[in-house]
Amino acid sequence: MKKAYLGIDIGSISTKGVVIDAKNQIIASEYLWTEGDPMGAVKRLLKSLQKQIKDQTVQVVAVGTTGSARKLIGAMTNATVVKNEITAHAIGTTTLYPDVNTIFEIGGQDSKIIIVENGFVVDYAMNTLCAAGTGSFLSSQAHRLGVSVAEFGAIALTSKHPTNIAARCTVFAESDLVHKAQMGHKKEDIIAGLCKAVVTNYLNNLGKGKRIKAPIVFQGGVSKNIGVKKAFEEAVGCEVMVDPNGHLMGAFGVAVLAKQAGIERHFNFNVADLDFRTKGFECPKCANHCEIICVYQGNKLLDAWGNKCDNGAVRV
Amino acid sequence: MKVGIPRALLYYKYEKLWTTFFDECGIEYIISPETNKAIINDAANLAIDETCLPTKILLGHINWLKNQCDYIFIPRVEFVYRAQMCTKFMAQIDLVMNTFRGEHLKFLFYNLYKKGPKAEYKAFKKMGKYLGLKKSVYKYAYYTAKQAQVYYEMFRAQNQLQLLQQPTPQNKVLVVAHAYNIGDKFVGEPILRTLKNLGCRPIIAEYFDARECIQASKQLSRTLPWAYNQHLLGAIALYHEQVDGIVILTTFPCGPDSMVNEMIVRKIKDKPILTLTMDTQDGSAGLETRLESFVDILNFQKERPHA
């Protein structure tokens, strides 16, 4: 039986999973919407992955989780590696593109820039509190314009004179967009302008002061938007690569990390059928009122977190 | 008579000076508790939007103290080491009086608005007179308190130097943050705890000797106005070569820091730098993700064969 490694990336908007073999080849992958229910999404994800590798004699021996729900899903799948998404993305990309120097990443709620030197991450930046210029911003604007996100990029490419749109803040962008539309700007110009605005915003916020050097890889859900890719190429003046599996890079990276960690723990896809629950409560023991989350499998407590001090610690 | 000392802003700088002074004068005092969520919530309700987080926290602490004591101690400090302070330290008294107007609170002012070696004594003298103390009492109390403060700072600086110079397999991280941020249970403590959990040794820039640091800050900027920022900048100038990385912790919306941090990132090129901005938000996920990936970078740097 061949050994395989599972990586799960649970983002705010989408949930990604890949199964790789010992040679880092992807043998199964899935991408679906989180829909505000990370546990349910992971269950659906696991079922789909299981179906894909049914015919092969592989055994998943290590699981890695990343993304904003990594802790929760890590507890659920008994993961060997629980890693932040920045490192996971960097490892994933440097595994596939060993000579990459800059990684642009735009996801549903956050965006990052990762600077790599000789295959080692040396610097990164991540957007702060606000989600302007990320996937959710684009999809809400697409909705406003009555265009589906999938065709957004293709429409942008048809534009000859992109409209200038202020993308510093989503609220301003929206009013600017409405104003430009009422002034008579063409829809494709506005869409191309939005793509350009996303890029300007990204480079001004995250790229500020950073050494952006080719080869550049662009990934995350927004990398599927060909309009944004083109806007990036125009802004930085060189080719920007988009991997066909760019949206899976975090999951791939954490699968590689799980492989490298060397801890093996047989994983059973039956997890998808088990009953998991979480219970949240406010700890009354001091004035901090920490929100504590407990994860249960049936009646068994798997893990708990959220406490700021030992008073609120829940023993497993 | 009981004096209430808010555990906020300058308290984290002058804790020893103030408490020893009151001890020596035989005045009973109470210190508000470590910042907690209840205090933060009060703070957010009391403050206007534009004030910075530490100033908001001060209001929260005063709110906690208002029914616990006869006088609330509020300092106002304009100069330290002949250098100007951030405006919030000058505005504190007025801000507090205006926020709690109509509540008939009694305040004990400590007003240090002059330059020079005797300025601090004069501020204490004024306070002593207001409290109806004899000259012999407050004068002795002040000099005892001053000595306690000086020794305390000296001891702390030596301790940090030792931590810095001791060889260790851990990553040494210089944490650059104002005293009232790094000392605060709500703002700075989670950062230090997370760093320690990630196997780092936090070195606190604020604890290094102020005079040496301010002198050294001239290497990086000759024109920087604010005393506490000079202190932190000097610590970076002196010690950045001996650490593995630098974490800059700022509270939103700090005016001085917003300029100084940018300068630090532009001038210090040889060490990884992480800038964290804290607000009243509660979720620690973003914080952990950022610190975790920063520490990953430090670990990568160590594994990396030297070119």
Side-chain angles (χ1 to χ4, degrees), chain A residues 270-287:
Chain A
N270 286 345
V271 172
D273 301 321
L274 296 177
D275 171 41
F276 288 97
R277 290 176 299 115
T278 56
K279 207 176 84 184
F281 67 92
E282 207 169 78
C283 172
K285 286 175 190 158
C286 76

Side-chain angles (χ1 to χ4, degrees), chain A residues 284-314:
Chain A
K285 286 175 190 158
C286 76
N288 275 326
H289 301 293
C290 298
E291 289 154 14
I292 296 174
I293 300 287
C294 299
V295 186
Y296 295 90
Q297 177 198 326
N299 284 324
K300 196 178 125 211
L301 179 68
L302 288 180
D303 204 353
W305 54 77
N307 54 308
K308 289 197 176 73
C309 64
D310 273 342
N311 281 334
V314 180

Side-chain angles (χ1 to χ4, degrees), chain B residues 2-65:
Chain B
K2 202 170 177 185
V3 174
I5 304 178
R7 194 187 289 267
L9 289 178
L10 292 168
Y11 170 82
Y12 292 104
K13 278 270 182 192
Y14 298 113
E15 177 194 348
K16 278 278 169 305
L17 184 69
W18 297 347
T19 52
T20 317
F21 178 80
F22 288 125
D23 278 338
E24 289 299 321
C25 292
I27 289 169
E28 202 190 337
Y29 59 87
I30 174 174
I31 303 170
S32 60
E34 300 272 9
T35 309
N36 55 44
K37 214 162 147 190
I39 288 182
I40 290 273
N41 287 345
D42 285 344
N45 289 336
L46 285 165
I48 53 165
D49 299 341
E50 283 80 8
T51 48
C52 63
L53 180 62
T55 308
K56 284 183 186 168
I57 290 177
L58 170 77
L59 296 177
H61 281 276
I62 289 173
N63 192 50
W64 187 91
L65 283 170

